Amino acid sequence: MMDEPPKQQTDIARAAALIADPSRARMLKCLGDGRALPAGLLAGEAGVSAATASAHLAKLVEGELVTVSRQGRHRYYRLAGPDVSAALEALALIAPPLPVTSLRQSNRASALRRARTCYDHLAGQLGTGLMGALLGQGVLTGHDGVHRPEEAMRDRPAAHGHDIRYQLTDSGQTRLRELGVDTDRLPPRRPAVRYCVDWSEHRHHLAGGLGAALTSRLYELGWVRWGKAPRVVLVTDEGAAGLRRTFGLALPR
């Protein structure tokens, strides 16, 4: 049997240097929900001028952490992919916490823990609660959704999971189709059922093509909506009732 080719060496220092600048780090965190955002909004979030933001974004595009597309006179930026988001989540685990100096910062931190996006799928208490409900209702099978560090082989917080193999059940496929999620039309080149180890809850939340499709459908239904702060998700009154009715998920108020 032929030997496997050696893995390509990666330039960690270059990627780390791009993220290390505080303004660029704030822009990347702002893009963490997978949406394409204009340079002006990113400049405001980073607290820098439009010219400075443009220079930072050019470096991020050159470093392949961010992509850019033009719509008319405006340029829109988004993360190059979910791996960039996962890397930022992992760095958050070892980074010292920023001092909370205002009620606004405290409220934002609480909101992120309640419900946020992890690239294009749900995380936080909402994401892990939904995962638990999907398991409890038999939509998914394979595990109980709890991360136990003492039992984990490769799983680590703020990263894609590898130890567990979740599967979508036949009855679960029917349930999701009734909700408007067509599981037969998920992206073929992306794992359909995947999970992340949620860094704030130490439980699993649903990722992969199914996680993205379900999240997108919840937005379409008006059950969740974007918050004012980047990555923050808000559950509407209609959504709270719909999640309880459909999946038996009762969210803390």
Side-chain angles (χ1 to χ4, degrees):
M1 188 171 82
M2 296 181 62
D3 292 335
E4 293 185 3
K7 291 185 178 179
Q8 184 178 5
Q9 295 295 310
T10 55
D11 192 349
I12 296 176
R14 183 187 180 202
L18 286 169
I19 299 171
D21 181 89
S23 295
R24 290 198 289 270
R26 284 193 288 270
M27 290 179 182
L28 289 169
K29 286 193 292 184
C30 189
L31 293 168
D33 57 19
R35 285 185 293 174
L37 299 176
L41 188 150
L42 295 170
E45 283 293 326
V48 297
S49 68
T52 300
S54 180
H56 282 312
L57 288 166
K59 291 181 179 180
L60 292 172
V61 170
E62 182 184 3
E64 299 182 351
L65 297 184
V66 167
T67 62
V68 60
S69 61
R70 185 182 291 275
Q71 296 183 21
R73 297 170 53 191
H74 301 284
R75 292 184 175 185
Y76 286 80
Y77 298 84
R78 69 167 74 240
L79 292 187
D83 287 345
V84 180
S85 180
L88 295 172
E89 292 274 327
L91 283 173
L93 286 177
I94 61 173
L98 291 169
V100 177
T101 58
S102 68
L103 179 61
R104 179 185 178 187
Q105 289 177 323
S106 177
N107 289 340
R108 178 180 290 194
S110 297
L112 283 169
R113 178 161 188 174
R114 282 197 302 273
R116 64 180 183 274
T117 51
C118 177
Y119 193 61
D120 58 2
H121 53 271
L122 296 172
Q125 292 173 350
L126 174 59
T128 57
L130 181 57
M131 181 71 160
L134 293 172
L135 292 166
Q137 295 281 315
V139 176
L140 295 175
T141 186
H143 195 256
D144 64 359
V146 178
H147 174 62
R148 299 178 177 85
E150 68 279 5
E151 298 176 5
M153 300 295 291
R154 292 182 293 168
D155 283 4
R156 298 292 182 271
H160 286 305
H162 301 279
D163 293 346
I164 309 301
R165 184 182 179 188
Y166 286 108
Q167 291 181 306
L168 177 63
T169 64
D170 291 340
S171 61
Q173 190 171 14
T174 300
R175 292 274 299 279
L176 292 177
R177 189 178 294 116
E178 291 171 351
L179 186 65
V181 179
D182 189 348
T183 57
D184 293 326
R185 298 176 65 88
L186 299 178
R189 296 186 178 182
R190 183 178 185 182
V193 181
R194 201 173 185 185
Y195 69 98
C196 296
V197 181
D198 198 279
W199 63 263
S200 65
E201 305 308 302
H202 294 275
R203 298 176 64 90
H204 300 162
H205 64 245
L206 181 62
L210 183 60
L214 179 55
T215 299
S216 178
R217 183 57 180 157
L218 295 183
Y219 279 112
E220 291 174 357
L221 290 170
W223 291 10
V224 297
R225 62 179 177 85
W226 299 110
K228 293 182 178 180
R231 299 185 60 200
V232 171
V233 174
L234 301 177
V235 180
T236 65
D237 290 341
E238 182 182 359
L243 290 170
R244 187 184 307 110
R245 180 179 64 252
T246 306
F247 301 116
L249 175 59
L251 297 170
R253 305 301 288 178

